[in-house]
PDB file of all heavy atoms in Angstrom:
ATOM      1  N   GLN T   1     -12.237  -3.721 -11.447  1.00  0.00           N
ATOM      2  CA  GLN T   1     -12.614  -4.874 -10.641  1.00  0.00           C
ATOM      3  C   GLN T   1     -13.547  -4.400  -9.561  1.00  0.00           C
ATOM      4  O   GLN T   1     -13.301  -3.500  -8.851  1.00  0.00           O
ATOM      5  CB  GLN T   1     -11.357  -5.530 -10.024  1.00  0.00           C
ATOM      6  CG  GLN T   1     -10.571  -6.306 -11.033  1.00  0.00           C
ATOM      7  CD  GLN T   1     -11.210  -7.465 -11.525  1.00  0.00           C
ATOM      8  OE1 GLN T   1     -11.769  -7.469 -12.698  1.00  0.00           O
ATOM      9  NE2 GLN T   1     -11.295  -8.567 -10.815  1.00  0.00           N
ATOM     10  N   PRO T   2     -14.713  -5.074  -9.367  1.00  0.00           N
ATOM     11  CA  PRO T   2     -15.610  -4.761  -8.275  1.00  0.00           C
ATOM     12  C   PRO T   2     -15.090  -5.181  -6.964  1.00  0.00           C
ATOM     13  O   PRO T   2     -14.251  -5.993  -6.750  1.00  0.00           O
ATOM     14  CB  PRO T   2     -16.891  -5.567  -8.626  1.00  0.00           C
ATOM     15  CG  PRO T   2     -16.401  -6.740  -9.383  1.00  0.00           C
ATOM     16  CD  PRO T   2     -15.202  -6.269 -10.180  1.00  0.00           C
ATOM     17  N   GLY T   3     -15.596  -4.539  -5.877  1.00  0.00           N
ATOM     18  CA  GLY T   3     -15.298  -4.830  -4.509  1.00  0.00           C
ATOM     19  C   GLY T   3     -13.870  -4.420  -4.148  1.00  0.00           C
ATOM     20  O   GLY T   3     -13.345  -4.906  -3.094  1.00  0.00           O
ATOM     21  N   ASN T   4     -13.275  -3.500  -4.842  1.00  0.00           N
ATOM     22  CA  ASN T   4     -11.840  -3.122  -4.623  1.00  0.00           C
ATOM     23  C   ASN T   4     -11.631  -1.832  -3.911  1.00  0.00           C
ATOM     24  O   ASN T   4     -10.532  -1.559  -3.504  1.00  0.00           O
ATOM     25  CB  ASN T   4     -11.154  -3.111  -6.000  1.00  0.00           C
ATOM     26  CG  ASN T   4      -9.620  -2.951  -5.918  1.00  0.00           C
ATOM     27  OD1 ASN T   4      -9.081  -1.970  -6.309  1.00  0.00           O
ATOM     28  ND2 ASN T   4      -8.978  -4.049  -5.434  1.00  0.00           N
ATOM     29  N   LEU T   5     -12.728  -1.115  -3.651  1.00  0.00           N
ATOM     30  CA  LEU T   5     -12.627   0.219  -3.090  1.00  0.00           C
ATOM     31  C   LEU T   5     -11.951   0.314  -1.748  1.00  0.00           C
ATOM     32  O   LEU T   5     -11.115   1.116  -1.434  1.00  0.00           O
ATOM     33  CB  LEU T   5     -13.971   0.963  -3.091  1.00  0.00           C
ATOM     34  CG  LEU T   5     -13.971   2.449  -2.694  1.00  0.00           C
ATOM     35  CD1 LEU T   5     -13.086   3.199  -3.733  1.00  0.00           C
ATOM     36  CD2 LEU T   5     -15.383   2.982  -2.755  1.00  0.00           C
ATOM     37  N   PRO T   6     -12.319  -0.566  -0.762  1.00  0.00           N
ATOM     38  CA  PRO T   6     -11.717  -0.500   0.536  1.00  0.00           C
ATOM     39  C   PRO T   6     -10.162  -0.679   0.530  1.00  0.00           C
ATOM     40  O   PRO T   6      -9.426   0.074   1.170  1.00  0.00           O
ATOM     41  CB  PRO T   6     -12.384  -1.615   1.342  1.00  0.00           C
ATOM     42  CG  PRO T   6     -13.677  -1.799   0.696  1.00  0.00           C
ATOM     43  CD  PRO T   6     -13.453  -1.591  -0.750  1.00  0.00           C
ATOM     44  N   GLU T   7      -9.721  -1.595  -0.254  1.00  0.00           N
ATOM     45  CA  GLU T   7      -8.265  -1.816  -0.315  1.00  0.00           C
ATOM     46  C   GLU T   7      -7.623  -0.692  -1.070  1.00  0.00           C
ATOM     47  O   GLU T   7      -6.505  -0.270  -0.764  1.00  0.00           O
ATOM     48  CB  GLU T   7      -7.901  -3.190  -0.980  1.00  0.00           C
ATOM     49  CG  GLU T   7      -6.414  -3.474  -0.878  1.00  0.00           C
ATOM     50  CD  GLU T   7      -6.056  -4.901  -1.082  1.00  0.00           C
ATOM     51  OE1 GLU T   7      -6.901  -5.718  -1.389  1.00  0.00           O
ATOM     52  OE2 GLU T   7      -4.897  -5.204  -0.920  1.00  0.00           O
ATOM     53  N   PHE T   8      -8.329  -0.183  -2.136  1.00  0.00           N
ATOM     54  CA  PHE T   8      -7.795   0.991  -2.855  1.00  0.00           C
ATOM     55  C   PHE T   8      -7.510   2.123  -1.830  1.00  0.00           C
ATOM     56  O   PHE T   8      -6.505   2.810  -1.877  1.00  0.00           O
ATOM     57  CB  PHE T   8      -8.767   1.422  -3.904  1.00  0.00           C
ATOM     58  CG  PHE T   8      -8.386   2.740  -4.524  1.00  0.00           C
ATOM     59  CD1 PHE T   8      -7.487   2.847  -5.556  1.00  0.00           C
ATOM     60  CD2 PHE T   8      -9.091   3.884  -4.166  1.00  0.00           C
ATOM     61  CE1 PHE T   8      -7.222   4.059  -6.166  1.00  0.00           C
ATOM     62  CE2 PHE T   8      -8.757   5.098  -4.702  1.00  0.00           C
ATOM     63  CZ  PHE T   8      -7.857   5.223  -5.662  1.00  0.00           C
ATOM     64  N   ALA T   9      -8.517   2.358  -0.973  1.00  0.00           N
ATOM     65  CA  ALA T   9      -8.385   3.404   0.050  1.00  0.00           C
ATOM     66  C   ALA T   9      -7.149   3.188   0.986  1.00  0.00           C
ATOM     67  O   ALA T   9      -6.463   4.136   1.332  1.00  0.00           O
ATOM     68  CB  ALA T   9      -9.664   3.490   0.843  1.00  0.00           C
ATOM     69  N   SER T  10      -6.999   1.971   1.350  1.00  0.00           N
ATOM     70  CA  SER T  10      -5.875   1.647   2.258  1.00  0.00           C
ATOM     71  C   SER T  10      -4.512   1.918   1.560  1.00  0.00           C
ATOM     72  O   SER T  10      -3.578   2.475   2.154  1.00  0.00           O
ATOM     73  CB  SER T  10      -5.972   0.162   2.706  1.00  0.00           C
ATOM     74  OG  SER T  10      -4.856  -0.142   3.503  1.00  0.00           O
ATOM     75  N   ARG T  11      -4.393   1.530   0.338  1.00  0.00           N
ATOM     76  CA  ARG T  11      -3.140   1.705  -0.413  1.00  0.00           C
ATOM     77  C   ARG T  11      -2.893   3.198  -0.720  1.00  0.00           C
ATOM     78  O   ARG T  11      -1.768   3.657  -0.611  1.00  0.00           O
ATOM     79  CB  ARG T  11      -3.113   0.920  -1.701  1.00  0.00           C
ATOM     80  CG  ARG T  11      -3.404  -0.540  -1.560  1.00  0.00           C
ATOM     81  CD  ARG T  11      -2.305  -1.325  -0.885  1.00  0.00           C
ATOM     82  NE  ARG T  11      -2.765  -2.560  -0.282  1.00  0.00           N
ATOM     83  CZ  ARG T  11      -2.916  -2.859   0.945  1.00  0.00           C
ATOM     84  NH1 ARG T  11      -2.479  -1.955   1.893  1.00  0.00           N
ATOM     85  NH2 ARG T  11      -3.386  -3.971   1.398  1.00  0.00           N
ATOM     86  N   LEU T  12      -3.916   3.908  -1.013  1.00  0.00           N
ATOM     87  CA  LEU T  12      -3.857   5.325  -1.308  1.00  0.00           C
ATOM     88  C   LEU T  12      -3.287   6.101  -0.093  1.00  0.00           C
ATOM     89  O   LEU T  12      -2.533   7.039  -0.264  1.00  0.00           O
ATOM     90  CB  LEU T  12      -5.171   5.900  -1.684  1.00  0.00           C
ATOM     91  CG  LEU T  12      -5.264   7.406  -2.097  1.00  0.00           C
ATOM     92  CD1 LEU T  12      -4.600   7.610  -3.475  1.00  0.00           C
ATOM     93  CD2 LEU T  12      -6.735   7.874  -2.140  1.00  0.00           C
ATOM     94  N   THR T  13      -3.637   5.666   1.106  1.00  0.00           N
ATOM     95  CA  THR T  13      -3.261   6.367   2.350  1.00  0.00           C
ATOM     96  C   THR T  13      -2.127   5.757   3.100  1.00  0.00           C
ATOM     97  O   THR T  13      -1.833   6.063   4.238  1.00  0.00           O
ATOM     98  CB  THR T  13      -4.499   6.444   3.229  1.00  0.00           C
ATOM     99  OG1 THR T  13      -5.004   5.089   3.502  1.00  0.00           O
ATOM    100  CG2 THR T  13      -5.620   7.233   2.665  1.00  0.00           C
ATOM    101  N   GLY T  14      -1.326   4.905   2.379  1.00  0.00           N
ATOM    102  CA  GLY T  14      -0.038   4.482   2.903  1.00  0.00           C
ATOM    103  C   GLY T  14       0.038   3.049   3.476  1.00  0.00           C
ATOM    104  O   GLY T  14       1.025   2.689   4.075  1.00  0.00           O
ATOM    105  N   SER T  15      -1.027   2.279   3.318  1.00  0.00           N
ATOM    106  CA  SER T  15      -1.008   0.847   3.693  1.00  0.00           C
ATOM    107  C   SER T  15      -0.709   0.618   5.150  1.00  0.00           C
ATOM    108  O   SER T  15       0.139  -0.096   5.538  1.00  0.00           O
ATOM    109  CB  SER T  15      -0.010   0.070   2.849  1.00  0.00           C
ATOM    110  OG  SER T  15      -0.293   0.105   1.421  1.00  0.00           O
ATOM    111  N   SER T  16      -1.494   1.323   5.982  1.00  0.00           N
ATOM    112  CA  SER T  16      -1.306   1.141   7.443  1.00  0.00           C
ATOM    113  C   SER T  16      -1.537  -0.328   7.866  1.00  0.00           C
ATOM    114  O   SER T  16      -1.018  -0.725   8.911  1.00  0.00           O
ATOM    115  CB  SER T  16      -2.226   2.109   8.185  1.00  0.00           C
ATOM    116  OG  SER T  16      -3.592   1.803   7.878  1.00  0.00           O
ATOM    117  N   ASP T  17      -2.375  -1.055   7.096  1.00  0.00           N
ATOM    118  CA  ASP T  17      -2.664  -2.463   7.514  1.00  0.00           C
ATOM    119  C   ASP T  17      -1.390  -3.278   7.406  1.00  0.00           C
ATOM    120  O   ASP T  17      -1.308  -4.288   8.028  1.00  0.00           O
ATOM    121  CB  ASP T  17      -3.711  -3.010   6.615  1.00  0.00           C
ATOM    122  CG  ASP T  17      -3.385  -3.015   5.114  1.00  0.00           C
ATOM    123  OD1 ASP T  17      -2.788  -1.937   4.727  1.00  0.00           O
ATOM    124  OD2 ASP T  17      -3.738  -3.922   4.386  1.00  0.00           O
ATOM    125  N   LEU T  18      -0.394  -2.858   6.584  1.00  0.00           N
ATOM    126  CA  LEU T  18       0.855  -3.601   6.403  1.00  0.00           C
ATOM    127  C   LEU T  18       1.957  -3.125   7.320  1.00  0.00           C
ATOM    128  O   LEU T  18       2.786  -3.905   7.792  1.00  0.00           O
ATOM    129  CB  LEU T  18       1.324  -3.488   4.980  1.00  0.00           C
ATOM    130  CG  LEU T  18       0.382  -3.988   3.906  1.00  0.00           C
ATOM    131  CD1 LEU T  18       0.997  -3.762   2.528  1.00  0.00           C
ATOM    132  CD2 LEU T  18       0.163  -5.566   4.074  1.00  0.00           C
ATOM    133  N   TYR T  19       1.959  -1.839   7.667  1.00  0.00           N
ATOM    134  CA  TYR T  19       3.176  -1.203   8.276  1.00  0.00           C
ATOM    135  C   TYR T  19       2.944  -0.634   9.656  1.00  0.00           C
ATOM    136  O   TYR T  19       3.951  -0.414  10.357  1.00  0.00           O
ATOM    137  CB  TYR T  19       3.774  -0.178   7.308  1.00  0.00           C
ATOM    138  CG  TYR T  19       4.057  -0.774   5.987  1.00  0.00           C
ATOM    139  CD1 TYR T  19       3.346  -0.303   4.808  1.00  0.00           C
ATOM    140  CD2 TYR T  19       4.998  -1.750   5.774  1.00  0.00           C
ATOM    141  CE1 TYR T  19       3.669  -0.872   3.540  1.00  0.00           C
ATOM    142  CE2 TYR T  19       5.304  -2.302   4.549  1.00  0.00           C
ATOM    143  CZ  TYR T  19       4.601  -1.804   3.448  1.00  0.00           C
ATOM    144  OH  TYR T  19       4.820  -2.369   2.197  1.00  0.00           O
ATOM    145  N   ALA T  20       1.743  -0.312  10.089  1.00  0.00           N
ATOM    146  CA  ALA T  20       1.511   0.421  11.300  1.00  0.00           C
ATOM    147  C   ALA T  20       1.786  -0.413  12.545  1.00  0.00           C
ATOM    148  O   ALA T  20       2.329   0.085  13.536  1.00  0.00           O
ATOM    149  CB  ALA T  20       0.117   1.020  11.343  1.00  0.00           C
ATOM    150  N   ASP T  21       1.499  -1.702  12.440  1.00  0.00           N
ATOM    151  CA  ASP T  21       1.616  -2.540  13.671  1.00  0.00           C
ATOM    152  C   ASP T  21       2.973  -2.627  14.214  1.00  0.00           C
ATOM    153  O   ASP T  21       3.174  -2.819  15.441  1.00  0.00           O
ATOM    154  CB  ASP T  21       1.064  -3.976  13.376  1.00  0.00           C
ATOM    155  CG  ASP T  21      -0.454  -4.006  13.258  1.00  0.00           C
ATOM    156  OD1 ASP T  21      -1.087  -2.960  13.583  1.00  0.00           O
ATOM    157  OD2 ASP T  21      -0.963  -4.978  12.761  1.00  0.00           O
ATOM    158  N   ASP T  22       4.020  -2.549  13.329  1.00  0.00           N
ATOM    159  CA  ASP T  22       5.382  -2.764  13.841  1.00  0.00           C
ATOM    160  C   ASP T  22       6.141  -1.384  13.992  1.00  0.00           C
ATOM    161  O   ASP T  22       7.331  -1.328  14.027  1.00  0.00           O
ATOM    162  CB  ASP T  22       6.214  -3.685  13.008  1.00  0.00           C
ATOM    163  CG  ASP T  22       6.232  -3.255  11.556  1.00  0.00           C
ATOM    164  OD1 ASP T  22       5.857  -2.153  11.209  1.00  0.00           O
ATOM    165  OD2 ASP T  22       6.711  -4.107  10.729  1.00  0.00           O
ATOM    166  N   GLY T  23       5.338  -0.316  14.017  1.00  0.00           N
ATOM    167  CA  GLY T  23       5.934   0.976  14.293  1.00  0.00           C
ATOM    168  C   GLY T  23       6.427   1.703  13.034  1.00  0.00           C
ATOM    169  O   GLY T  23       6.939   2.837  13.099  1.00  0.00           O
ATOM    170  N   ARG T  24       6.250   1.084  11.835  1.00  0.00           N
ATOM    171  CA  ARG T  24       6.684   1.762  10.597  1.00  0.00           C
ATOM    172  C   ARG T  24       5.629   2.800  10.178  1.00  0.00           C
ATOM    173  O   ARG T  24       4.463   2.822  10.695  1.00  0.00           O
ATOM    174  CB  ARG T  24       6.987   0.787   9.538  1.00  0.00           C
ATOM    175  CG  ARG T  24       8.241  -0.019   9.798  1.00  0.00           C
ATOM    176  CD  ARG T  24       8.744  -0.800   8.633  1.00  0.00           C
ATOM    177  NE  ARG T  24       7.935  -2.014   8.366  1.00  0.00           N
ATOM    178  CZ  ARG T  24       8.120  -2.852   7.399  1.00  0.00           C
ATOM    179  NH1 ARG T  24       8.995  -2.507   6.404  1.00  0.00           N
ATOM    180  NH2 ARG T  24       7.432  -3.948   7.214  1.00  0.00           N
ATOM    181  N   ARG T  25       5.993   3.611   9.234  1.00  0.00           N
ATOM    182  CA  ARG T  25       5.175   4.736   8.799  1.00  0.00           C
ATOM    183  C   ARG T  25       4.863   4.535   7.300  1.00  0.00           C
ATOM    184  O   ARG T  25       5.383   3.630   6.659  1.00  0.00           O
ATOM    185  CB  ARG T  25       5.859   6.041   9.131  1.00  0.00           C
ATOM    186  CG  ARG T  25       5.925   6.284  10.590  1.00  0.00           C
ATOM    187  CD  ARG T  25       6.621   7.581  10.964  1.00  0.00           C
ATOM    188  NE  ARG T  25       6.470   7.869  12.397  1.00  0.00           N
ATOM    189  CZ  ARG T  25       7.024   8.916  12.953  1.00  0.00           C
ATOM    190  NH1 ARG T  25       7.705   9.792  12.240  1.00  0.00           N
ATOM    191  NH2 ARG T  25       6.835   9.163  14.256  1.00  0.00           N
ATOM    192  N   PRO T  26       4.099   5.453   6.707  1.00  0.00           N
ATOM    193  CA  PRO T  26       3.806   5.305   5.307  1.00  0.00           C
ATOM    194  C   PRO T  26       4.993   5.219   4.417  1.00  0.00           C
ATOM    195  O   PRO T  26       4.888   4.636   3.338  1.00  0.00           O
ATOM    196  CB  PRO T  26       2.975   6.585   4.995  1.00  0.00           C
ATOM    197  CG  PRO T  26       2.379   6.981   6.301  1.00  0.00           C
ATOM    198  CD  PRO T  26       3.332   6.591   7.360  1.00  0.00           C
ATOM    199  N   LEU T  27       6.057   5.820   4.885  1.00  0.00           N
ATOM    200  CA  LEU T  27       7.293   5.807   4.130  1.00  0.00           C
ATOM    201  C   LEU T  27       7.959   4.411   3.931  1.00  0.00           C
ATOM    202  O   LEU T  27       8.857   4.238   3.165  1.00  0.00           O
ATOM    203  CB  LEU T  27       8.324   6.801   4.738  1.00  0.00           C
ATOM    204  CG  LEU T  27       7.739   8.172   5.056  1.00  0.00           C
ATOM    205  CD1 LEU T  27       8.694   9.012   5.793  1.00  0.00           C
ATOM    206  CD2 LEU T  27       7.367   8.807   3.707  1.00  0.00           C
ATOM    207  N   ALA T  28       7.486   3.438   4.684  1.00  0.00           N
ATOM    208  CA  ALA T  28       7.878   2.095   4.480  1.00  0.00           C
ATOM    209  C   ALA T  28       7.408   1.527   3.180  1.00  0.00           C
ATOM    210  O   ALA T  28       7.919   0.490   2.694  1.00  0.00           O
ATOM    211  CB  ALA T  28       7.425   1.246   5.644  1.00  0.00           C
ATOM    212  N   SER T  29       6.435   2.160   2.570  1.00  0.00           N
ATOM    213  CA  SER T  29       5.810   1.638   1.327  1.00  0.00           C
ATOM    214  C   SER T  29       6.397   2.297   0.088  1.00  0.00           C
ATOM    215  O   SER T  29       6.210   3.508  -0.094  1.00  0.00           O
ATOM    216  CB  SER T  29       4.330   1.883   1.396  1.00  0.00           C
ATOM    217  OG  SER T  29       3.687   1.421   0.187  1.00  0.00           O
ATOM    218  N   ILE T  30       7.154   1.502  -0.646  1.00  0.00           N
ATOM    219  CA  ILE T  30       7.579   2.048  -1.950  1.00  0.00           C
ATOM    220  C   ILE T  30       6.517   1.649  -2.894  1.00  0.00           C
ATOM    221  O   ILE T  30       6.349   0.474  -3.303  1.00  0.00           O
ATOM    222  CB  ILE T  30       8.945   1.331  -2.383  1.00  0.00           C
ATOM    223  CG1 ILE T  30       9.990   1.574  -1.292  1.00  0.00           C
ATOM    224  CG2 ILE T  30       9.397   1.940  -3.735  1.00  0.00           C
ATOM    225  CD1 ILE T  30      10.368   3.012  -1.014  1.00  0.00           C
ATOM    226  N   ASN T  31       5.712   2.715  -3.322  1.00  0.00           N
ATOM    227  CA  ASN T  31       4.600   2.446  -4.186  1.00  0.00           C
ATOM    228  C   ASN T  31       5.016   2.453  -5.688  1.00  0.00           C
ATOM    229  O   ASN T  31       5.796   3.263  -6.100  1.00  0.00           O
ATOM    230  CB  ASN T  31       3.622   3.610  -3.986  1.00  0.00           C
ATOM    231  CG  ASN T  31       3.034   3.682  -2.585  1.00  0.00           C
ATOM    232  OD1 ASN T  31       2.942   2.687  -1.910  1.00  0.00           O
ATOM    233  ND2 ASN T  31       2.745   4.866  -2.140  1.00  0.00           N
ATOM    234  N   PHE T  32       4.509   1.511  -6.366  1.00  0.00           N
ATOM    235  CA  PHE T  32       4.748   1.428  -7.792  1.00  0.00           C
ATOM    236  C   PHE T  32       3.575   0.730  -8.505  1.00  0.00           C
ATOM    237  O   PHE T  32       2.880  -0.097  -7.932  1.00  0.00           O
ATOM    238  CB  PHE T  32       6.037   0.695  -8.118  1.00  0.00           C
ATOM    239  CG  PHE T  32       6.072  -0.796  -7.730  1.00  0.00           C
ATOM    240  CD1 PHE T  32       6.005  -1.750  -8.734  1.00  0.00           C
ATOM    241  CD2 PHE T  32       6.146  -1.186  -6.384  1.00  0.00           C
ATOM    242  CE1 PHE T  32       5.970  -3.092  -8.401  1.00  0.00           C
ATOM    243  CE2 PHE T  32       6.178  -2.539  -6.083  1.00  0.00           C
ATOM    244  CZ  PHE T  32       6.061  -3.481  -7.075  1.00  0.00           C
ATOM    245  N   VAL T  33       3.382   1.121  -9.752  1.00  0.00           N
ATOM    246  CA  VAL T  33       2.380   0.520 -10.620  1.00  0.00           C
ATOM    247  C   VAL T  33       3.044  -0.442 -11.623  1.00  0.00           C
ATOM    248  O   VAL T  33       2.569  -1.456 -11.969  1.00  0.00           O
ATOM    249  CB  VAL T  33       1.529   1.550 -11.280  1.00  0.00           C
ATOM    250  CG1 VAL T  33       0.542   0.891 -12.277  1.00  0.00           C
ATOM    251  CG2 VAL T  33       0.741   2.330 -10.233  1.00  0.00           C
ATOM    252  N   THR T  34       4.207  -0.001 -12.060  1.00  0.00           N
ATOM    253  CA  THR T  34       5.014  -0.757 -13.016  1.00  0.00           C
ATOM    254  C   THR T  34       6.485  -0.783 -12.569  1.00  0.00           C
ATOM    255  O   THR T  34       6.923   0.121 -11.856  1.00  0.00           O
ATOM    256  CB  THR T  34       4.947  -0.241 -14.465  1.00  0.00           C
ATOM    257  OG1 THR T  34       5.465   1.063 -14.409  1.00  0.00           O
ATOM    258  CG2 THR T  34       3.494  -0.267 -14.957  1.00  0.00           C
ATOM    259  N   CYS T  35       7.244  -1.750 -13.012  1.00  0.00           N
ATOM    260  CA  CYS T  35       8.680  -1.837 -12.748  1.00  0.00           C
ATOM    261  C   CYS T  35       9.264  -2.581 -13.930  1.00  0.00           C
ATOM    262  O   CYS T  35       8.611  -2.842 -14.916  1.00  0.00           O
ATOM    263  CB  CYS T  35       8.952  -2.524 -11.410  1.00  0.00           C
ATOM    264  SG  CYS T  35       8.461  -4.230 -11.283  1.00  0.00           S
ATOM    265  N   HIS T  36      10.536  -2.900 -13.819  1.00  0.00           N
ATOM    266  CA  HIS T  36      11.210  -3.640 -14.902  1.00  0.00           C
ATOM    267  C   HIS T  36      10.531  -4.927 -15.206  1.00  0.00           C
ATOM    268  O   HIS T  36      10.523  -5.386 -16.346  1.00  0.00           O
ATOM    269  CB  HIS T  36      12.691  -3.860 -14.589  1.00  0.00           C
ATOM    270  CG  HIS T  36      12.835  -4.851 -13.417  1.00  0.00           C
ATOM    271  ND1 HIS T  36      12.936  -4.443 -12.089  1.00  0.00           N
ATOM    272  CD2 HIS T  36      13.093  -6.183 -13.451  1.00  0.00           C
ATOM    273  CE1 HIS T  36      13.097  -5.483 -11.326  1.00  0.00           C
ATOM    274  NE2 HIS T  36      13.213  -6.581 -12.141  1.00  0.00           N
ATOM    275  N   ASP T  37      10.019  -5.586 -14.225  1.00  0.00           N
ATOM    276  CA  ASP T  37       9.416  -6.913 -14.314  1.00  0.00           C
ATOM    277  C   ASP T  37       7.892  -6.776 -14.610  1.00  0.00           C
ATOM    278  O   ASP T  37       7.131  -6.410 -13.694  1.00  0.00           O
ATOM    279  CB  ASP T  37       9.677  -7.709 -13.031  1.00  0.00           C
ATOM    280  CG  ASP T  37       9.300  -9.165 -13.117  1.00  0.00           C
ATOM    281  OD1 ASP T  37       8.853  -9.620 -14.199  1.00  0.00           O
ATOM    282  OD2 ASP T  37       9.371  -9.888 -12.131  1.00  0.00           O
TER     283      ASP T  37
END
């Protein structure tokens, strides 16, 4: 998919856009590509 590189970089490095503001760390992110669903 085009235009995806900036978000790819954020997810690769721990998703600080999702978790840094409330004091959480990269470990707040359970990363997965597939699951049971």
Side-chain angles (χ1 to χ4, degrees):
Q1 287 293 100
N4 190 247
L5 188 59
E7 188 163 5
F8 170 83
S10 178
R11 304 292 160 247
L12 183 74
T13 54
S15 297
S16 61
D17 58 323
L18 299 177
Y19 304 114
D21 287 348
D22 57 10
R24 288 193 282 176
R25 293 181 170 178
L27 308 173
S29 178
I30 306 298
N31 298 329
F32 67 104
V33 175
T34 59
C35 63
H36 68 272
D37 189 3

